[in-house]
Structures are given as structure tokens and as C-alpha cells.
Amino acid sequence: MNHSQYFRELKEDAAQNPNQKFRSPVIVMKGINYGQFASKANITYDLNPEVSQTAAFGIIFNYTYAFMVVTQNDPNKNILEAKAVLEQGYLNTEILLQPISDVKAFDQNLEQISHWTITAQLRIINFLTAISVEFVNHESDVMYATKRQQHKPLFRLLDDLKINSTTQIVFTNNPADEAILPQSPTQLKAIMTSQDAVKKLTTSTLYGKPSSCSAINQEAFNIAYLKSSTIAKRQYQAAMAPITFINDVHASTLDQWNQASLKLIYNNTGFFVGATRFRTNKPNTDHSIGEQDDCTLLSPFRAMEWIYIDALRYTKKQIT
């Protein structure tokens, strides 16, 4: 999944100088795995290929040769044809990676806003009637307990209700294993405003039952699956390694919540996700822990990584 990061950087460079597509191409070759770049080397955690070794070598050769022709700038070679090959590879890669980029942007973006937490906040409040409201989110990379002291749940600005949430995005921190570990967050620790707090300022609005954290995490998977490519969906279904969502565990104290994390269990039967929820409905004068409804959330990007990559590691069939 780190290919999407490299390709995003290339797109930014190419916007300034289109020749970057030929000087430093990033091309994802559909159906080829890492081992096929190294004479079927046995690479740990590699996925099964979808094309034969012969076909893989042909595809790799075409792109490599085109890159060499453009780089050497030999007038005796067909440079325009080579550029066309690399251009097509760029366009193919853009199509392949677009679903991943879209889902990744829910929580990893220049605005530092967790759009998925905003969706979760909507599900927690669960308005049944239309209301003028603005949802505000801030992502945090500082210690959670410190950030919580700064969180003010909601306030009115003229006729609009403004509802705040804060998100701590947590990643696996092991650079030595960057190539095989998920590139997505291990959890989104979302501090959200409770429905009861909102009700105090919107007495004429109707509400439904607040969603569970588990239901919100299920929705994260549903969105990731919906945005996945047709091929990715087919491969995921064939892998028979589904995501299962466990009922919420409820933290009863702030200390329990601060120590809680999203439970992620992987085995050859699938991926099991268990959330922790922390609810406080007694307001504090400093808004430190009052009127909150918090969840450890599954990132839609983590769900998509399972669909595209991790679930497929349990399939057995190899193409030779």
C-alpha cells in the first residue's frame, strides 16, 4: 500500500514537470507479485500472482526497456514510443490506486481532519430531523490524555450548532518491518460529543439510538469494500477470510479508556475487530471529560488493506 504514497508524490512532481513521469516512474503492474521480479524467489508474505512467470517477465521487460530508452535519450531508438509505454503505465497505475487514495484520505490528509471520525460523530448523535450543524474535527499526534483536557464538546455560533471531535491516529511503529506491516492506522481513537450533550441545545430535534462503535466499524468496512475495485472484491471473496466485528467493550473510567486500544486479531479464519467505548454524561465545568461518547475506531484504510492484501495471504493457489 505504500505504492500509493510514492505515486501521490510523483503526481505532485508531474503537476510541476510532466517529464517526471518518465524520469522517475512509479508503475504498479497488475497481477504481478514481488517474487516474479526475482525469478520466483520465495519472499515472505508475498501474495499469489495472477499471471504466469513468462507473462510477468514480458510486462516487466516492456516497462524497464521503455525507461532505459527514455533515460539514455538515444536518437537511434524510438523515444516517443517508449514515452507512450510509460505514460500508459502511469495512467494504469492511477486507475489502480485511486480507490486506495480515496479511502486513505478519510484520515490522512493535508487538512489533518479525520473525516471518518466526523461520520462516527454523526452516527453517535443520530439526528432524525434536519438541523443546522457544523462538525469540526482535529487530528492529534500528542498523548491522548493531554489532548483530552483541551477538548470542548460543542457550542453555539449564532444559529449554528458546532460539534467538536478529536482523533488520535495510531500506527504500527516498526520501520524495520515497513514493507510487510500495514501502512494504515492500527486505530483511530476518537473523542466525540455525546447525544445527551447535543440534546440540551436542540430541544426540538428528534434523535435515534446512538450507534455502537462496532456498528461504525462495520460501516468503515462497508465503505472500503464498496470503493474497492472489482478485481479486489473478487479476490477477497475467494480468500474466504472475512472481517468479524466483536461487541463493544465498555470502559468505566478515564484511565481504562486511556489504556484501551482497538482489538485486532488476525488468523487464518479472518480478521476480528473489537472496539472499546467510553461514555460520560455528567458535564464538568472545564469540559475535560464531561458529556463524551468515545470509540476506538477501525480506519477504512485498514479495512481496505485487509481486502486488497492481508486477506489474500491465506490463499494457496499459485500460478506458474
Side-chain angles (χ1 to χ4, degrees):
M1 285 286 185
N2 49 7
H3 295 99
S4 62
Q5 173 68 21
Y6 302 146
F7 189 73
R8 183 184 66 79
E9 293 171 357
L10 173 60
K11 287 184 70 174
E12 292 172 355
D13 292 341
Q16 302 297 322
N17 181 359
N19 283 328
Q20 287 299 110
K21 290 185 286 187
F22 313 123
R23 293 174 180 170
S24 54
V26 176
I27 297 175
V28 176
M29 302 178 198
K30 185 177 176 181
I32 300 175
N33 70 2
Y34 286 108
Q36 290 177 315
F37 280 83
S39 299
K40 298 180 67 177
N42 185 17
I43 298 176
T44 305
Y45 299 112
D46 205 359
L47 301 182
N48 294 327
E50 289 204 312
V51 300
S52 68
Q53 190 68 55
T54 301
F57 279 158
I59 296 169
I60 295 166
F61 171 80
N62 287 339
Y63 285 124
T64 304
Y65 180 74
F67 175 65
M68 292 174 64
V69 168
V70 173
T71 301
Q72 292 172 353
N73 199 27
D74 186 343
N76 296 318
K77 301 289 178 64
N78 193 333
I79 297 174
L80 289 178
E81 182 179 330
K83 284 187 173 182
V85 170
L86 295 177
E87 179 73 33
Q88 189 60 54
Y90 178 91
L91 294 174
N92 292 344
T93 299
E94 187 172 37
I95 293 170
L96 285 171
L97 295 183
Q98 193 61 53
I100 299 169
S101 299
D102 290 346
V103 170
K104 184 177 181 180
F106 273 117
D107 302 297
Q108 295 169 252
N109 49 65
L110 296 177
E111 296 86 0
Q112 293 188 308
I113 294 172
S114 172
H115 297 285
W116 187 245
T117 299
I118 291 175
T119 298
Q121 179 71 87
L122 271 166
R123 302 297 181 263
I124 291 293
I125 297 175
N126 199 7
F127 293 116
L128 296 182
T129 52
I131 181 174
S132 179
V133 61
E134 178 183 357
F135 290 93
V136 180
N137 176 267
H138 302 284
E139 293 178 349
S140 168
D141 57 1
V142 299
M143 290 300 293
Y144 180 74
T146 301
K147 190 67 178 179
R148 187 180 193 93
Q149 299 300 319
Q150 301 170 355
H151 180 73
K152 296 183 183 299
L154 74 167
F155 55 90
R156 276 200 177 278
L157 183 64
L158 299 177
D159 293 329
D160 291 334
L161 184 67
K162 183 171 287 189
I163 300 175
N164 289 335
S165 61
T166 306
T167 309
Q168 183 190 22
I169 301 182
V170 181
F171 292 88
T172 300
N173 185 20
N174 191 345
D177 292 332
E178 183 176 330
I180 62 173
L181 290 175
Q183 301 300 302
S184 57
T186 55
Q187 68 171 342
L188 307 175
K189 204 157 189 181
I191 315 167
M192 297 176 287
T193 301
S194 71
Q195 186 188 82
D196 287 343
V198 178
K199 282 181 176 179
K200 293 177 182 178
L201 296 179
T202 57
T203 54
S204 61
T205 303
L206 297 178
Y207 299 85
K209 182 180 178 181
S211 291
S212 65
C213 303
S214 176
I216 295 168
N217 288 337
Q218 173 73 64
E219 188 175 349
F221 168 77
N222 293 345
I223 286 179
Y225 184 82
L226 181 66
K227 289 183 173 291
S228 296
S229 69
T230 301
I231 293 175
K233 291 175 183 176
R234 172 175 56 78
Q235 291 175 328
Y236 172 70
Q237 292 294 340
M240 293 186 292
I243 296 183
T244 301
F245 296 92
I246 305 168
N247 291 337
D248 295 349
V249 172
H250 292 269
S252 57
T253 67
L254 177 60
D255 286 341
Q256 287 180 1
W257 165 252
N258 283 340
Q259 296 173 26
S261 61
L262 187 68
K263 182 179 290 186
L264 304 175
I265 302 171
Y266 309 86
N267 60 40
N268 58 7
T269 64
F271 179 22
F272 298 83
V273 179
T276 296
R277 187 171 194 163
F278 180 55
R279 305 177 72 176
T280 61
N281 290 321
K282 294 182 179 179
N284 289 354
T285 55
D286 62 354
H287 298 292
S288 59
I289 62 169
E291 301 182 294
Q292 298 298 121
D293 201 342
D294 305 337
C295 287
T296 54
L297 297 177
L298 177 70
S299 163
F301 186 29
R302 172 82 284 264
M304 181 168 272
E305 273 197 310
W306 179 259
I307 293 168
Y308 269 72
I309 298 175
D310 295 328
L312 309 187
R313 289 176 175 164
Y314 300 108
T315 57
K316 302 299 182 184
K317 185 178 179 181
Q318 295 281 348
I319 297 177
T320 58

